[in-house]
Amino acid sequence: MAVRTSDELKQQTCKPCEGGVDKMPDDEARRQLDHLDGWRLSDDGTKIFKKWKLKDFVEGMALLNKAAEIAEAEQHHPDLHLEGYRHVRIELSTHAIGGLSENDFIVAAKIG
């Protein structure tokens, strides 16, 4: 995958992935993350994640609902976490390949 800006990723749509493609190498994922504010690579390189500390429970749920709508539209679903009523963590990975694909970065860019 060529490195794209956040705006370029937002213009893309996810492609179905049932395996059969290589997962993205860590160095390529790190280069792409330079264009996504606040998103980080997991220690094992199999997912990207971002954390938010929001004002209250309602803002936390609003972010999770926004992420859910994006995920449904893209048919690429993240792991969503709400802890301590206002701490949100969203994790993206392409489970079918056991690592990262372009789809993860598209959804991350759209979530923000």
Side-chain angles (χ1 to χ4, degrees):
M1 172 180 127
V3 173
R4 295 190 174 104
T5 67
S6 179
D7 287 338
E8 289 171 328
L9 287 167
K10 289 176 188 175
Q11 300 305 312
Q12 302 293 310
T13 56
C14 291
K15 296 171 183 68
C17 181
E18 298 300 326
V21 297
D22 292 332
K23 57 186 173 184
M24 184 180 295
D26 288 0
D27 61 329
E28 190 175 334
R30 283 188 183 89
R31 285 193 306 273
Q32 185 59 67
L33 285 173
D34 288 341
H35 299 276
L36 294 174
D37 186 40
W39 288 88
R40 298 180 12 202
L41 185 64
S42 65
D43 290 340
D44 65 3
T46 63
K47 58 187 144 195
I48 57 174
F49 67 92
K50 186 172 178 178
K51 297 178 183 180
W52 292 261
K53 181 178 180 182
L54 300 158
K55 182 178 133 188
D56 54 29
F57 179 78
V58 172
E59 282 190 11
M61 289 306 300
L63 175 57
L64 292 175
N65 286 326
K66 173 189 168 191
E69 288 177 17
I70 291 166
E72 270 301 292
E74 294 297 329
Q75 287 300 294
H76 191 71
H77 301 93
D79 292 332
L80 305 173
H81 307 272
L82 176 66
E83 297 177 352
Y85 80 88
R86 65 182 186 154
H87 298 272
V88 171
R89 178 182 170 110
I90 298 177
E91 301 173 350
L92 284 153
S93 182
T94 302
H95 303 288
I97 61 172
L100 294 166
S101 72
E102 183 176 29
N103 290 346
D104 301 304
F105 295 89
I106 291 169
V107 172
K110 290 181 179 189
I111 290 172

